[in-house]
Amino acid sequence: MKRLQISRLPVSLGLLAALLAPGSGEAMLGLTTDLGEVEGQGWRLDQVSLRIEHDSQSTRSNLTIGRVVLPEQGVVIQKVELSCPGLVINSGVDCERATVELELTESALEAAANSTVTAQIDAKIGPLSADGLAWSVTLETDPFPASLFRSLLNSGLQRVVETAEEQLEYLLGELQLQLKAQGRGGELGEVSATVGLSGFDFGNAMGTKAGEGLTGEIDFFLHRPAVQQGYRLSSRLQFSAGALFINPMFLTVAEEPVELAVAGHWDPFAQQARVNYDYRHPHRFRLSGGAKLSQMAIVPTLEEGFLRMEVENLDLVYRHYLQPFLLDTVLSDLNASG
């Protein structure tokens, strides 16, 4: 079986650029190549085939991958097809207005049927410099079943929890993903993502965590301006409808969105992290604060921190946030106001 290491790709790009450079002629030029198996750290692509057509009007490409394997996650994507109607190849590769289809076998992901995820994508690779190969990608999917990613999420949970009961027993509803990323070589410079939730239901095997009819967005942004400046991270979770149960709390979202925003900075040289957070539940309360942590040992050390709470309705805060933790105590049945 053919194997193509990822480090050989710049050479292949240079060959394609020479073949498809201006002046190659007015006749149709077609190039089909079977790359076989392409692999990198933690992933493998099987049955990779590339077709490129070039004439005086445009260059078109079609990339087919028979199977995507993520061994550590135990996930297999059965087929990927990337079609680029306006391919530009010179010192690098520029693919705009492309479409990509992923065919996932849900039986492999503990469900019953096949499903196809479609997306629109813009991608650029190159030019190659002493600092490495520059790249960027923008992707936006159509809505797809959330159930497709239950096994993938469970494999991630397995790394942080020891009991299988904490893993997801069901995952329903629809997701939609918007992703932008750029970097150079193997270094990630910036990535932003938005995950839209619609009619999202989930629950774990122990019944201690569940969501029903959740609608909202999860935003994520990671920036690394330079190696010596570390990482800057921000994230926002917003629910505009639905109900959420995290034992022992049960929250319903109505009228106005519930929102949690987190921002942080990690300095790998000083081994320090700064985190700020802001939680807002309209007509109930707002909780904000921050902390500075140092990783001088196995357990991070809290160097400084602050906490601020603004209560708008003490009765609702008590019943929804405090009372569930005070059951079987003398404070389990209070009349709160203010």
Side-chain angles (χ1 to χ4, degrees):
M1 177 181 291
K2 294 182 182 178
R3 291 197 176 199
L4 178 66
Q5 297 293 331
I6 196 68
S7 59
R8 291 176 52 191
L9 289 180
V11 178
S12 302
L13 296 179
L15 175 61
L16 290 175
L19 288 173
L20 302 179
S24 296
E26 296 298 321
M28 171 73 73
L29 173 64
L31 173 65
T32 301
T33 179
D34 181 7
L35 301 177
E37 182 180 293
V38 182
E39 60 183 0
Q41 185 174 1
W43 57 270
R44 188 179 81 248
L45 311 179
D46 296 337
Q47 304 168 19
V48 181
S49 177
L50 177 65
R51 170 70 180 175
I52 297 179
E53 296 178 348
H54 175 74
D55 57 26
S56 59
Q57 302 297 319
S58 64
T59 301
R60 301 166 298 280
S61 69
N62 185 272
L63 174 67
T64 302
I65 303 171
R67 191 169 64 163
V68 179
V69 181
L70 307 174
E72 294 184 3
Q73 286 75 32
V75 173
V76 175
I77 300 174
Q78 289 300 321
K79 184 179 180 181
V80 178
E81 185 167 348
L82 173 64
S83 299
C84 182
L87 182 68
V88 177
I89 301 178
N90 37 54
S91 59
V93 178
D94 190 349
C95 178
E96 296 184 353
R97 303 180 307 279
T99 59
V100 61
E101 290 190 357
L102 289 75
E103 182 179 319
L104 296 97
T105 301
E106 294 189 58
S107 58
L109 301 177
E110 302 176 18
N114 291 356
S115 185
T116 300
V117 178
T118 61
Q120 293 72 50
I121 186 170
D122 292 338
K124 295 182 180 181
I125 303 177
L128 179 64
S129 68
D131 296 327
L133 191 68
W135 57 268
S136 65
V137 60
T138 302
L139 177 145
E140 182 174 355
T141 71
D142 295 334
F144 58 88
S147 59
L148 292 174
F149 288 91
R150 182 163 69 94
S151 290
L152 181 61
L153 292 174
N154 277 344
S155 66
L157 286 172
Q158 187 66 43
R159 298 169 180 267
V160 295
V161 296
E162 297 182 357
T163 59
E165 289 80 4
E166 280 292 340
Q167 296 189 343
L168 295 174
E169 188 169 274
Y170 64 90
L171 193 62
L172 304 172
E174 285 188 340
L175 301 177
Q176 188 170 14
L177 172 66
Q178 295 178 335
L179 173 69
K180 294 182 180 180
Q182 63 182 32
R184 187 173 292 275
E187 296 292 333
L188 180 65
E190 184 175 295
V191 59
S192 62
T194 298
V195 180
L197 312 175
S198 179
F200 189 71
D201 297 353
F202 73 92
N204 68 341
M206 294 182 65
T208 57
K209 299 178 180 65
E212 182 176 348
L214 293 170
T215 297
E217 286 186 349
I218 303 173
D219 295 327
F220 175 88
F221 179 75
L222 176 67
H223 182 52
R224 190 185 191 189
V227 174
Q228 66 272 18
Q229 296 183 32
Y231 294 90
R232 298 187 183 277
L233 168 69
S234 63
S235 183
R236 182 181 65 95
L237 170 63
Q238 183 184 80
F239 290 134
S240 57
L244 182 66
F245 173 69
I246 301 178
N247 189 42
M249 291 192 305
F250 178 78
L251 303 177
T252 57
V253 181
E255 298 179 2
E256 296 184 45
V258 173
E259 181 177 312
L260 171 64
V262 179
H265 174 246
W266 166 247
D267 185 341
F269 296 97
Q271 291 286 290
Q272 288 184 341
R274 289 185 177 272
V275 181
N276 292 286
Y277 55 88
D278 187 7
Y279 177 76
R280 303 185 186 190
H281 194 159
H283 310 303
R284 287 166 177 77
F285 81 114
R286 177 180 179 182
L287 180 67
S288 59
K292 179 181 178 182
L293 304 169
S294 292
Q295 182 68 50
M296 304 303 293
I298 298 178
V299 180
T301 301
L302 177 63
E303 294 192 358
E304 59 183 59
F306 71 94
L307 178 68
R308 181 183 299 112
M309 179 183 291
E310 302 172 16
V311 177
E312 187 173 346
N313 189 316
L314 184 58
D315 179 53
L316 292 177
V317 172
Y318 170 74
R319 288 194 285 114
H320 290 143
Y321 289 92
L322 300 178
Q323 191 176 40
F325 294 97
L326 299 175
L327 296 177
D328 301 323
T329 73
V330 296
L331 303 177
S332 62
D333 190 17
L334 298 178
N335 291 320
S337 62

